[in-house]
Each structure stands twice: as structure tokens, then as C-alpha cells.
Amino acid sequence: MPKKKAVAAPAAPIIASTTAPLDKLYVAPENARFGVEPENVDELAANIAACGLLSPLLAYQDDEGRFAVAGGARRLAALNALRRAAEIAPDASAFKIDWDAIPVRETLQAHASAASLAENTQRVDLGVVDAALAWNRMAAEGRAVSEIAKAFGQTERFVQSRIKLASLHEPILEALRAGEISLDVAQLY
């Protein structure tokens, strides 16, 4: 008789959408990210301060009523950094975050490892051309370069260079997007 193959359960069934106080959230041992680079946290914290938390944390509730974050270790680190900054400068207008109501998608502990791995591997960074075009649209809508830079944790010079890149002719942008030319070569035009 042939052996039956084991069928994996869905990566992360969401059992509830809820909120939790920041001080009740911690990184789950099942989280695929074992370390978070401080420079990555600073950029994300700047973005959360400017745009809000765009993606809820993925967590399961433990036996003590706390939430173990299986997906969102960087987001959690950024939120904690913002909370520390808000405690230093309580009038900081950028930190309009309800520390007692952080958005959480609740899952089961049995699915935490698979969910964390899926969240960190099944994603694709935005390409340089698409990011340049998006920043160019923001500038065209009237957002100042300094505001864009702050929102994305970048320097004004970096954002200006990407906005300039967006003004290149479409065939050059397509060649860059397709990997036919490098960013350095595209910037020569």
C-alpha cells in the first residue's frame, strides 16, 4: 500500500482581527526574523510615523493573554522605537498612534512558523523604477521632497535622484526595469 503524503495546513488562518496594547506584544519564538537591523527599523519607524501602520501584526494569544508576534517583528521594533521617541518628545505631532490599540490579525500558534516564513519569503520589493515613478507622482501631487524623504526614511538627495530618474524616457526606464541596463547607466542619461 503506498504511503499517503502529508498535506500541509493553510499557512495562517486568521481567526480574528483585533487590537492589542503595545506593551502586550512581543516577538514570538516562531518568528522567522531572529534579528532586526537598527537601520531597517529607523526607516520603517519614519514611514509608520508619517503614514501609520499599514499592515497589521500577525500574532497568536498566549496563555497569559499577551500576543506573540509571528509576522511583523520589524513593525513591532519600529512601533517600540516610536513609543520611546514619543516618551522623549510627548508633543511630537507625527506620533498619533494609539499605543493601546495596535492592529493585530490573530492566528493560531500551530500556524505561526509557517505564517512567519510565508510573510518574509513570499514578497517582492518594489523595483527602483516603480519606486521612482511613485515618488515622482507624490511630488507632482504637491508633496515636498523633504516630506517624502522623511516619510520613507531617505535623504532628500536620494529622493531627488529617484524623482529625476522618473523623468527619463520610457525606453530607458523599461531597459532598467528589465535589467538590461544598470541604475548607474540609466543615471547617465
Side-chain angles (χ1 to χ4, degrees), residues 13-70:
I14 304 303
I15 58 173
S17 288
T18 189
T19 61
L22 183 61
D23 61 2
K24 297 281 187 196
L25 299 167
Y26 66 95
V27 177
E30 296 88 353
N31 196 298
R33 286 195 189 269
F34 290 103
V36 178
E37 299 296 324
E39 61 272 9
N40 293 333
V41 171
D42 293 344
E43 279 184 24
L44 185 56
N47 185 258
I48 292 171
C51 303
L53 183 65
L54 300 177
S55 296
L57 303 173
L58 180 65
Y60 61 87
Q61 199 162 15
D62 67 16
D63 295 338
E64 298 170 8
R66 297 175 63 215
F67 285 87
V69 177

Side-chain angles (χ1 to χ4, degrees), residues 72-120:
R74 282 184 58 235
R75 282 170 276 162
L76 180 59
L79 287 166
N80 280 312
L82 286 172
R83 177 118 188 226
R84 285 189 300 277
E87 288 169 356
I88 293 168
D91 339 338
S93 62
F95 307 138
K96 300 253 189 259
I97 298 169
D98 184 348
W99 305 114
D100 292 321
I102 304 300
V104 173
R105 290 175 309 172
E106 193 174 349
T107 189
L108 301 171
Q109 183 175 5
H111 299 285
S113 292
S116 180
L117 188 59
E119 181 173 278
N120 286 288

Side-chain angles (χ1 to χ4, degrees), residues 133-144 148 163:
L133 293 170
W135 283 341
N136 188 50
R137 277 192 303 277
M138 291 174 72
E141 292 166 356
R143 305 245 338 240
I148 297 168
I163 290 171

